[in-house]
Amino acid sequence: MVEAVETMDGWYSLHDMRSVDWISWKLASEEEREEALASFHKLIEKWEKVEEGKNGSHALYTVVGQKADLMFMFLRPTMEELNELETELNKSKMAEFLIPEHSYVSIIELAKYRKSKDGVDPETLPEVQARLKPILPKWEHICFYPMNRRRIGEENWYTLESDARGKLLYEHSKTGRKYAGKVKQYITGSIGIDDWEWGVTLFAHDPLEFKKIVYEMRFDEASSRYGEFGYFFVGNILKKEAVAAFLHV
Amino acid sequence: MVEAVETMDGWYSLHDMRSVDWISWKLASEEEREEALASFHKLIEKWEKVEEGKNGSHALYTVVGQKADLMFMFLRPTMEELNELETELNKSKMAEFLIPEHSYVSIIELAKYRKSKDGVDPETLPEVQARLKPILPKWEHICFYPMNRRRIGEENWYTLESDARGKLLYEHSKTGRKYAGKVKQYITGSIGIDDWEWGVTLFAHDPLEFKKIVYEMRFDEASSRYGEFGYFFVGNILKKEAVAAFLHV
Amino acid sequence: MVEAVETMDGWYSLHDMRSVDWISWKLASEEEREEALASFHKLIEKWEKVEEGKNGSHALYTVVGQKADLMFMFLRPTMEELNELETELNKSKMAEFLIPEHSYVSIIELAKYRKSKDGVDPETLPEVQARLKPILPKWEHICFYPMNRRRIGEENWYTLESDARGKLLYEHSKTGRKYAGKVKQYITGSIGIDDWEWGVTLFAHDPLEFKKIVYEMRFDEASSRYGEFGYFFVGNILKKEAVAAFLHV
Amino acid sequence: MVEAVETMDGWYSLHDMRSVDWISWKLASEEEREEALASFHKLIEKWEKVEEGKNGSHALYTVVGQKADLMFMFLRPTMEELNELETELNKSKMAEFLIPEHSYVSIIELAKYRKSKDGVDPETLPEVQARLKPILPKWEHICFYPMNRRRIGEENWYTLESDARGKLLYEHSKTGRKYAGKVKQYITGSIGIDDWEWGVTLFAHDPLEFKKIVYEMRFDEASSRYGEFGYFFVGNILKKEAVAAFLHV
Amino acid sequence: MVEAVETMDGWYSLHDMRSVDWISWKLASEEEREEALASFHKLIEKWEKVEEGKNGSHALYTVVGQKADLMFMFLRPTMEELNELETELNKSKMAEFLIPEHSYVSIIELAKYRKSKDGVDPETLPEVQARLKPILPKWEHICFYPMNRRRIGEENWYTLESDARGKLLYEHSKTGRKYAGKVKQYITGSIGIDDWEWGVTLFAHDPLEFKKIVYEMRFDEASSRYGEFGYFFVGNILKKEAVAAFLHV
């Protein structure tokens, strides 16, 4: 029997993509739009407080193409907090002009290859804790995609011995490390939580790096033989100060 | 020819996921919302009576992410009762503000590996009857997903000999048993009833356990080679006392 | 080259699933609802006349779960009659409150393994004619699902020799015969007509039998290696006398 | 390297399926409905003129089941004419009551196995030209389905040698020829044009022949090993004189 | 380990398909329609200025069939510009009558087989720069489709050695070159950006050439064994002068 990977798990994550209902937005009175914007700013400020207190983190980007107009990413210590936050957004005046397009629920995840290092459980290390409860970078671009590990005939990630998986992931991580400083990657696990096994969220200063890293990694055996991919969302940062201009009609 | 498994079957099950139509809900008058809430509480109390009388059971959770806002799970002795219950919900004032998102129809199922034990049909045992007609736990979190057993080329669950299937399931159950006290699992069969072969409903105090158990089980051969999975819903318990607050706008 | 099966074909079949638009239904005036109900009863009575005259048959069931609220099954001698019947339903007052959810077009089909029996074409036999133009039973429960025969690599039904197919189907039919009196099965062919190759409609007194028969049959090689399945609808009979109560709000 | 087939290509083809919005249609005033019907008749007469002038052809059928209510098939010498015709239909009063359900764009196609016959390019022959620019028959029934040739592992149509493909298609055509007088077949190519590789449009006097021919052909190796099929539309002819009755409410 | 291809990347690309909401368009007042048309012309003129300044390019075509009525293709130096342009279109009066149907985000891409040629990085060559930042041709017809390279068992593009891939692509390009002057092809990469790996945009004077080139290429091993295709959009050029006529009702 093959040994399962043990994971270290951090904050709960919600990716939430919505489109602006531009027709309703334009039909609304100036007053209603101001009320909606005010409600949105109030939420953003609330989220910023949470981030300042290191009790969570969030990101807000505009999405390119018709899949959505906005992508939120929220990190919180509990599933309940994600749910409250989502419900509060749904009840806000702003949400009356936003159409839900997609969401993804997952948990920040690190693989735990060694149960202890010098007698210390790695999960207790401050640097690991920081990676499990990260403050998301305010980089210019975001990319989100979910993925599975393949389980078809000979190409079955889950029947590979732990060593073989480790070796493939090590090769894969070497490709990733070439992009240090260019791409920041957050892996969130969603087996038992959402429809794919993992979510991958990348941040970059230059969106071309998303294409370069994912393309280069596709030639690694971990991806070429064992990676299954679906949809991709890409976006540009939407700073709080730019929200009003983005929505100005 | 391969021997089919015999099953023991209990209550009929309906998973029913709905989203709140927040815009209509906010547009409704205070009076209408109160009427809707009252209709909802009346239904919940009716369901509670059924549960008290051990004539069925139910669960109510809020769903995280955009797939739905509410997940109901209903157990009843007959398909007719499920249908009546669903129709009554559909006709309620509350339903005017709920958008159907998904449903799943199935039957509580236990595999019957031995036709008799000391001359007694296991199905007649009180402890088996209790598992076939369970009162659902009021634990903090729920996870629901459907699954199939694979039938592709060499990886065909249904052409495996009964012994081989039994051995794989026994290994699989050992993984499950590690989570005793952390995760409660209900298997409902839906071959001939709904689009997948089984539904799996998990309850946990800590939603991280959903990820841990499903991930660990994915390395068991029963899952790695023979399991096919689709979508997952996860949620937080919504107690009757919290319904008004959840819907307060 | 493999010999194709010859079929004997009977009445044309339309499965038609619709949801009640409960919100519109409740918004309608009492008068409008009465008009709709009257139009519905008039149609049912017209269909009953056809059935009495042995010029067709029909069934009406409520569907459990969100896939639909009503399932109609219609049998008629010609495709034109099906079309007229459907158009008449579409134009009825009742249809203003029904949302089309799914439909399936097919033809009652029997395989013709022997071209003649004692010099008689089996298609001319009264008992075969009765099976090709059946009056549907008014049993308590219905189950409908479409299916294909697999054509992938080694598992290709259509490259099997006629003898091999016949043997597999004979084994399969033995499983079916165990359910005599419990499950009635109607096979309708839809190759060249609708999206799957066959439709299977089952009637039962106890809906548990749907699960038992389909599960047991899945272990037959005809299903385990050559069957491809999609969606399943299950329902409870809706008698004419119960229509008003079902729709009462 | 495998030799590609050369094709002879004729008129451009648009299959256009629409549902009647019965609720809007009934809500419209008698006057509006008459205006819509008049606009529809005007279009039909325009199309008839084109057909009389041998500058195109068209067909109009009602569709059985919920996939659509109407199926149009249009043939025109250029893609621009198809586009104009479609836009004119979209702008018509009638279109205000029609819901687009599906469309398929393709080109009448004949395979050109021999580049010349007695020194003559077959494409220049009058009988070939007639088949490339056909006037569609006014037969009672229509069937439309798209298809691909498989490209999976050993079952790859596009890596078969030209001879092998030719042989398979020859066998296949022999099955087709058995239905001469019963089924008329039009092949339209859509590689590079629409989502499947070919469209197949069949006409018959008896719709049972659609099932018989497609079923029998499925046992030919060209279909059993290399054919991939999706959805099927079937319908009954809707003559100009019958349009008003079909739409009468 | 297999060597990844290095790419040269140019302008960012957005394909944006929309349908005209003909019913709303006809319901709008003459004044509103004029306002919408004026807003559309203003945008087109703005895009033309960008193109004149060689800071981007665009194309506008009508789409044949029901998938959409209009296809825009935009090229811009940055992802931010694409996003701004899209948002400006969304906020325009014209957009109130357009229904988003599909979009595709990608980046003009050329493979870089040689890192230097006579000591010169090919990416710095003017002819390469021109191909990376192209002014789109104003040819009569457009075809857009996305594609993947297959990764299934033995047919895995990403585990092929660089030489083997190069050879297959060279053969493939020879087929393409036969269509010089007839078909212009633009490859845009979208790995890590959108749901498929590449987008292919073809321009032609005669739309039949789309079918001919894609069909012929399908017999090349690069496509027959390694190409995966989804949907295709085809259209006719819509010149600025023809917009008013196209929209005239």
Side-chain angles (χ1 to χ4, degrees):
Chain A
M1 231 178 96
V2 161
E3 198 190 351
V5 175
E6 215 175 309
T7 59
M8 299 182 286
D9 300 276
W11 279 344
Y12 287 81
S13 164
L14 174 66
H15 290 78
D16 186 300
M17 291 75 160
R18 304 197 181 209
S19 288
V20 177
D21 182 347
W22 291 106
I23 296 180
S24 303
W25 184 243
K26 285 163 76 178
L27 279 175
S29 66
E30 186 69 26
E31 233 175 3
E32 263 191 296
R33 284 198 296 263
E34 272 169 34
E35 190 193 333
L37 264 175
S39 77
F40 198 26
H41 275 108
K42 215 171 128 187
L43 284 173
I44 296 177
E45 279 151 26
K46 195 168 172 181
W47 303 333
E48 286 175 342
K49 282 257 166 63
V50 172
E51 195 169 88
E52 282 163 28
K54 309 218 166 163
N55 293 313
S57 185
H58 69 278
L60 175 53
Y61 287 77
T62 56
V63 173
V64 186
Q66 293 174 6
K67 290 174 184 172
D69 287 314
L70 297 172
M71 169 159 36
F72 300 92
M73 180 179 176
F74 297 111
L75 299 177
R76 288 295 180 271
T78 66
M79 195 75 108
E80 283 89 347
E81 283 158 293
L82 277 189
N83 212 164
E84 279 156 26
L85 177 160
E86 177 199 7
T87 303
E88 196 176 9
L89 176 55
N90 283 336
K91 290 179 179 177
S92 73
K93 184 74 190 169
M94 189 68 232
E96 295 176 26
F97 304 98
L98 299 179
I99 301 161
E101 296 285 4
H102 189 68
S103 69
Y104 205 79
V105 183
S106 50
I107 307 174
I108 292 274
E109 177 183 309
L110 296 171
K112 191 178 185 174
Y113 288 107
R114 290 183 292 191
K115 295 211 174 177
S116 81
K117 190 186 170 176
D118 312 329
V120 180
D121 176 349
E123 201 160 347
T124 62
L125 296 173
E127 64 268 28
V128 169
Q129 281 298 309
R131 289 177 63 203
L132 290 173
K133 298 168 183 174
I135 300 304
L136 297 170
K138 311 309 173 204
W139 288 17
E140 288 86 342
H141 302 280
I142 197 169
C143 170
F144 171 72
Y145 62 96
M147 62 169 295
N148 285 342
R149 290 287 173 206
R150 186 172 285 175
R151 296 180 293 113
I152 302 177
E154 293 303 300
E155 300 186 326
N156 192 324
W157 182 259
Y158 294 91
T159 58
L160 286 180
E161 288 301 327
S162 175
D163 278 4
R165 294 195 316 262
K167 208 177 142 218
L168 289 172
L169 289 177
Y170 175 70
E171 290 298 324
H172 203 45
S173 71
K174 282 202 299 189
T175 305
R177 257 172 289 153
K178 290 192 210 165
Y179 291 84
K182 292 181 185 165
V183 176
K184 272 206 174 205
Q185 175 183 279
Y186 295 84
I187 300 295
T188 52
S190 43
I191 295 183
I193 303 286
D194 213 322
D195 304 356
W196 294 75
E197 297 176 344
W198 288 274
V200 180
T201 309
L202 307 177
F203 294 88
H205 300 300
D206 180 351
L208 186 56
E209 301 296 342
F210 296 141
K211 182 161 158 302
K212 288 197 176 291
I213 191 174
V214 180
Y215 195 11
E216 188 170 350
M217 285 184 144
R218 195 144 300 177
F219 289 92
D220 294 339
E221 204 178 330
S223 279
S224 65
R225 297 192 58 214
Y226 298 104
E228 294 186 336
F229 305 95
Y231 56 83
F232 289 77
F233 281 87
V234 284
N236 302 318
I237 198 161
L238 180 61
K239 295 196 174 156
K240 188 173 59 171
E241 312 80 72
V243 167
F246 172 69
L247 287 167
H248 181 75
V249 287
Chain B
M1 231 180 97
V2 161
E3 198 191 351
V5 176
E6 216 175 307
T7 59
M8 298 183 286
D9 300 277
W11 279 343
Y12 287 81
S13 165
L14 174 66
H15 291 77
D16 185 301
M17 291 76 161
R18 304 196 181 210
S19 288
V20 177
D21 182 346
W22 291 106
I23 297 180
S24 303
W25 184 244
K26 285 163 77 178
L27 278 175
S29 66
E30 186 69 25
E31 233 174 3
E32 264 191 297
R33 284 198 296 263
E34 273 171 32
E35 191 194 332
L37 264 175
S39 78
F40 198 26
H41 274 107
K42 217 172 126 187
L43 285 173
I44 296 176
E45 280 151 25
K46 195 169 173 180
W47 302 333
E48 287 175 341
K49 283 257 166 65
V50 173
E51 196 170 270
E52 282 163 27
K54 307 218 166 163
N55 293 312
S57 185
H58 69 278
L60 175 54
Y61 287 76
T62 57
V63 174
V64 186
Q66 293 174 6
K67 291 174 184 172
D69 286 314
L70 296 171
M71 168 157 39
F72 300 92
M73 179 179 178
F74 297 111
L75 299 177
R76 288 293 180 273
T78 66
M79 195 75 107
E80 284 88 347
E81 283 159 293
L82 276 190
N83 212 164
E84 278 157 27
L85 178 160
E86 177 199 7
T87 303
E88 196 176 10
L89 175 54
N90 284 336
K91 289 179 179 177
S92 73
K93 185 73 190 168
M94 190 67 232
E96 295 177 26
F97 304 99
L98 298 179
I99 302 161
E101 297 284 4
H102 189 68
S103 70
Y104 205 79
V105 183
S106 51
I107 306 174
I108 292 274
E109 176 183 309
L110 297 171
K112 191 178 185 173
Y113 288 108
R114 290 182 292 190
K115 294 210 176 180
S116 82
K117 190 186 169 177
D118 311 328
V120 179
D121 177 348
E123 202 161 346
T124 62
L125 298 171
E127 64 268 28
V128 169
Q129 281 298 309
R131 289 177 62 203
L132 290 173
K133 298 168 182 174
I135 300 304
L136 298 170
K138 311 310 172 204
W139 289 16
E140 288 85 342
H141 302 280
I142 198 169
C143 170
F144 171 72
Y145 62 95
M147 62 169 294
N148 286 342
R149 290 288 172 205
R150 186 172 285 176
R151 296 181 293 111
I152 303 177
E154 294 303 300
E155 300 186 324
N156 193 323
W157 182 260
Y158 295 91
T159 58
L160 287 180
E161 289 299 328
S162 176
D163 278 5
R165 294 195 316 263
K167 209 179 141 215
L168 289 172
L169 289 177
Y170 174 69
E171 290 299 323
H172 204 43
S173 71
K174 283 202 299 189
T175 305
R177 256 171 291 152
K178 290 193 211 165
Y179 290 85
K182 292 181 185 166
V183 177
K184 273 206 174 205
Q185 175 183 278
Y186 296 84
I187 301 294
T188 53
S190 45
I191 295 183
I193 303 286
D194 213 323
D195 304 355
W196 294 75
E197 297 176 345
W198 288 275
V200 180
T201 309
L202 308 177
F203 294 89
H205 300 300
D206 180 351
L208 186 56
E209 301 296 341
F210 296 141
K211 181 161 158 301
K212 287 196 177 289
I213 190 174
V214 181
Y215 195 11
E216 188 171 351
M217 284 185 145
R218 195 143 300 177
F219 288 93
D220 294 339
E221 203 178 330
S223 280
S224 65
R225 297 193 58 214
Y226 298 104
E228 293 186 337
F229 305 95
Y231 54 84
F232 289 77
F233 281 88
V234 284
N236 303 316
I237 199 162
L238 180 61
K239 295 195 174 156
K240 187 172 60 171
E241 312 80 71
V243 167
F246 173 68
L247 287 167
H248 182 74
V249 287
Chain C
M1 232 179 98
V2 162
E3 199 190 350
V5 176
E6 215 174 308
T7 59
M8 298 182 286
D9 301 277
W11 279 343
Y12 287 80
S13 165
L14 174 65
H15 291 78
D16 185 300
M17 291 76 160
R18 306 199 179 208
S19 289
V20 177
D21 182 346
W22 292 106
I23 297 180
S24 304
W25 184 243
K26 286 163 77 177
L27 278 174
S29 67
E30 185 69 25
E31 233 175 5
E32 264 191 297
R33 284 198 296 262
E34 272 170 33
E35 190 193 333
L37 265 176
S39 77
F40 198 26
H41 275 106
K42 216 172 127 188
L43 286 173
I44 296 176
E45 280 151 25
K46 195 169 173 180
W47 303 333
E48 287 175 341
K49 282 257 169 63
V50 173
E51 197 169 87
E52 283 163 27
K54 307 218 166 163
N55 292 313
S57 186
H58 68 279
L60 174 54
Y61 287 77
T62 56
V63 174
V64 186
Q66 294 174 5
K67 291 174 183 172
D69 287 314
L70 296 172
M71 169 157 39
F72 300 93
M73 179 177 178
F74 298 111
L75 298 177
R76 288 294 180 272
T78 67
M79 195 76 108
E80 284 88 347
E81 284 158 292
L82 277 189
N83 212 165
E84 278 156 27
L85 179 160
E86 177 198 9
T87 303
E88 196 176 11
L89 175 55
N90 285 336
K91 290 178 180 177
S92 73
K93 184 75 189 169
M94 189 67 232
E96 296 177 26
F97 304 99
L98 298 179
I99 302 161
E101 296 284 3
H102 189 68
S103 70
Y104 204 79
V105 183
S106 50
I107 306 174
I108 292 274
E109 176 183 309
L110 297 171
K112 191 179 185 173
Y113 289 108
R114 291 182 291 190
K115 294 210 175 179
S116 82
K117 189 185 171 177
D118 311 328
V120 179
D121 177 348
E123 200 160 348
T124 62
L125 297 172
E127 65 267 29
V128 169
Q129 281 298 309
R131 289 176 62 202
L132 290 173
K133 298 167 183 175
I135 300 304
L136 298 170
K138 311 310 172 203
W139 288 16
E140 288 85 342
H141 301 280
I142 198 169
C143 170
F144 171 72
Y145 61 95
M147 62 169 294
N148 286 342
R149 289 289 171 206
R150 187 172 284 176
R151 296 180 294 110
I152 302 177
E154 294 302 301
E155 300 186 325
N156 192 325
W157 182 259
Y158 294 91
T159 58
L160 287 181
E161 288 300 328
S162 176
D163 278 5
R165 293 194 316 262
K167 209 180 141 216
L168 290 171
L169 289 178
Y170 175 70
E171 290 297 325
H172 204 45
S173 72
K174 284 201 297 188
T175 305
R177 256 172 292 154
K178 290 192 211 166
Y179 291 84
K182 292 182 184 165
V183 176
K184 271 206 175 206
Q185 175 183 279
Y186 295 84
I187 300 294
T188 53
S190 44
I191 295 183
I193 303 285
D194 214 323
D195 305 355
W196 293 76
E197 298 176 343
W198 288 275
V200 180
T201 308
L202 308 177
F203 294 89
H205 300 301
D206 180 351
L208 185 57
E209 301 295 342
F210 296 143
K211 180 161 158 302
K212 287 196 177 288
I213 190 173
V214 181
Y215 195 12
E216 187 170 351
M217 284 185 145
R218 195 143 302 177
F219 288 92
D220 293 340
E221 203 178 328
S223 279
S224 65
R225 296 193 57 213
Y226 297 104
E228 294 186 337
F229 305 95
Y231 55 84
F232 289 76
F233 280 87
V234 284
N236 302 318
I237 198 162
L238 180 62
K239 295 195 175 156
K240 188 173 59 171
E241 311 81 71
V243 167
F246 173 68
L247 287 166
H248 181 75
V249 287
Chain D
M1 232 177 98
V2 162
E3 199 190 349
V5 175
E6 214 174 307
T7 59
M8 299 183 286
D9 301 277
W11 280 344
Y12 288 80
S13 166
L14 174 66
H15 291 77
D16 185 300
M17 291 76 160
R18 306 198 180 209
S19 288
V20 177
D21 182 347
W22 291 107
I23 297 180
S24 303
W25 184 242
K26 286 163 77 178
L27 279 175
S29 66
E30 185 70 25
E31 233 177 3
E32 264 192 298
R33 284 198 296 261
E34 272 170 33
E35 190 193 333
L37 264 176
S39 77
F40 197 26
H41 275 107
K42 217 173 127 187
L43 285 174
I44 295 176
E45 279 151 25
K46 195 169 174 182
W47 303 333
E48 286 175 340
K49 283 257 169 62
V50 173
E51 197 169 87
E52 282 162 29
K54 307 217 166 165
N55 293 314
S57 186
H58 69 277
L60 174 54
Y61 287 77
T62 55
V63 174
V64 185
Q66 294 174 5
K67 291 175 181 171
D69 287 314
L70 296 171
M71 168 155 41
F72 300 93
M73 180 177 177
F74 298 112
L75 298 177
R76 288 293 180 273
T78 66
M79 196 76 107
E80 283 88 347
E81 283 158 292
L82 277 189
N83 212 165
E84 278 155 27
L85 179 160
E86 177 199 8
T87 303
E88 197 176 9
L89 176 55
N90 284 335
K91 290 178 179 177
S92 74
K93 184 74 190 170
M94 190 68 231
E96 296 177 25
F97 304 98
L98 299 179
I99 302 161
E101 296 285 3
H102 189 67
S103 70
Y104 205 79
V105 183
S106 51
I107 306 173
I108 291 275
E109 177 183 309
L110 296 171
K112 191 179 187 172
Y113 289 107
R114 291 182 293 192
K115 295 211 174 177
S116 82
K117 188 185 172 178
D118 310 328
V120 180
D121 177 348
E123 200 160 347
T124 62
L125 298 171
E127 64 267 28
V128 169
Q129 282 298 309
R131 289 177 62 203
L132 290 173
K133 298 167 183 174
I135 300 304
L136 298 169
K138 311 310 173 204
W139 288 17
E140 288 85 342
H141 301 280
I142 197 169
C143 170
F144 170 72
Y145 62 95
M147 61 168 294
N148 286 342
R149 289 288 172 206
R150 186 172 285 177
R151 297 179 293 111
I152 301 177
E154 294 302 301
E155 300 186 325
N156 192 323
W157 183 259
Y158 295 91
T159 57
L160 287 181
E161 288 301 326
S162 175
D163 277 5
R165 293 194 316 262
K167 210 179 140 215
L168 289 172
L169 289 177
Y170 175 70
E171 290 296 325
H172 204 45
S173 71
K174 283 201 299 188
T175 305
R177 257 174 289 155
K178 291 192 212 166
Y179 291 84
K182 293 182 184 164
V183 176
K184 273 208 173 204
Q185 175 183 279
Y186 296 84
I187 301 294
T188 53
S190 44
I191 295 183
I193 303 286
D194 213 322
D195 304 355
W196 294 75
E197 297 176 345
W198 288 276
V200 180
T201 309
L202 308 177
F203 295 89
H205 301 300
D206 180 351
L208 185 57
E209 301 296 342
F210 297 143
K211 180 161 158 304
K212 287 197 176 289
I213 191 174
V214 181
Y215 194 12
E216 187 170 351
M217 284 185 145
R218 195 143 301 177
F219 289 92
D220 294 339
E221 202 177 330
S223 280
S224 65
R225 296 193 58 214
Y226 298 104
E228 294 185 336
F229 305 96
Y231 54 85
F232 289 76
F233 280 88
V234 285
N236 302 317
I237 198 161
L238 180 61
K239 294 194 175 158
K240 188 172 58 171
E241 312 80 72
V243 167
F246 172 67
L247 287 167
H248 182 74
V249 288
Chain E
M1 232 177 99
V2 161
E3 199 189 350
V5 175
E6 214 174 310
T7 59
M8 299 183 285
D9 301 276
W11 279 343
Y12 287 80
S13 164
L14 175 66
H15 291 78
D16 186 300
M17 291 75 161
R18 305 197 180 209
S19 288
V20 178
D21 182 347
W22 292 106
I23 297 180
S24 303
W25 184 243
K26 286 164 75 178
L27 279 175
S29 66
E30 186 68 26
E31 233 176 4
E32 264 191 296
R33 284 198 296 262
E34 272 170 33
E35 190 193 333
L37 265 176
S39 77
F40 197 26
H41 275 107
K42 217 172 127 186
L43 285 173
I44 296 177
E45 280 151 25
K46 195 169 173 181
W47 303 333
E48 286 176 341
K49 282 256 168 62
V50 172
E51 196 169 88
E52 283 163 26
K54 308 217 166 163
N55 292 314
S57 185
H58 69 278
L60 175 54
Y61 287 77
T62 57
V63 174
V64 185
Q66 293 174 6
K67 291 174 183 173
D69 287 314
L70 296 172
M71 168 157 41
F72 300 93
M73 179 179 178
F74 298 111
L75 298 177
R76 288 294 180 272
T78 66
M79 195 76 106
E80 283 88 347
E81 283 158 292
L82 277 189
N83 211 164
E84 278 156 27
L85 178 160
E86 177 199 8
T87 303
E88 196 175 10
L89 176 54
N90 284 335
K91 290 178 179 178
S92 73
K93 184 74 190 168
M94 189 67 231
E96 296 177 25
F97 304 99
L98 298 179
I99 301 161
E101 296 285 3
H102 190 68
S103 70
Y104 205 79
V105 183
S106 51
I107 306 173
I108 292 274
E109 176 183 310
L110 296 172
K112 191 179 187 173
Y113 289 107
R114 290 183 293 190
K115 296 211 173 176
S116 82
K117 189 185 170 178
D118 311 329
V120 179
D121 178 348
E123 200 161 348
T124 63
L125 296 172
E127 65 268 27
V128 169
Q129 282 298 308
R131 290 176 63 204
L132 291 173
K133 298 167 183 173
I135 301 303
L136 298 170
K138 312 307 174 206
W139 289 17
E140 287 85 342
H141 301 280
I142 198 169
C143 170
F144 171 72
Y145 61 95
M147 62 168 295
N148 286 342
R149 290 288 172 206
R150 185 172 285 175
R151 297 180 292 111
I152 302 177
E154 293 303 300
E155 299 185 326
N156 193 323
W157 182 260
Y158 294 92
T159 57
L160 287 180
E161 288 301 326
S162 175
D163 277 5
R165 293 194 317 263
K167 208 177 144 218
L168 289 172
L169 289 177
Y170 174 70
E171 290 298 324
H172 204 45
S173 71
K174 283 201 298 189
T175 306
R177 255 172 291 154
K178 290 192 210 166
Y179 291 83
K182 292 182 186 165
V183 176
K184 273 207 173 204
Q185 176 184 279
Y186 296 84
I187 301 294
T188 52
S190 44
I191 295 183
I193 302 287
D194 213 322
D195 304 355
W196 294 75
E197 297 176 345
W198 287 276
V200 180
T201 309
L202 307 177
F203 295 89
H205 300 300
D206 180 351
L208 186 57
E209 301 296 342
F210 296 143
K211 180 160 157 306
K212 287 197 177 289
I213 190 174
V214 180
Y215 194 12
E216 189 171 350
M217 284 185 145
R218 195 144 300 178
F219 289 92
D220 294 339
E221 203 178 328
S223 280
S224 65
R225 296 192 57 213
Y226 298 104
E228 293 186 336
F229 305 96
Y231 55 84
F232 289 77
F233 280 88
V234 285
N236 302 316
I237 197 161
L238 180 61
K239 294 195 176 156
K240 188 172 58 170
E241 311 80 72
V243 167
F246 172 68
L247 288 167
H248 181 74
V249 287

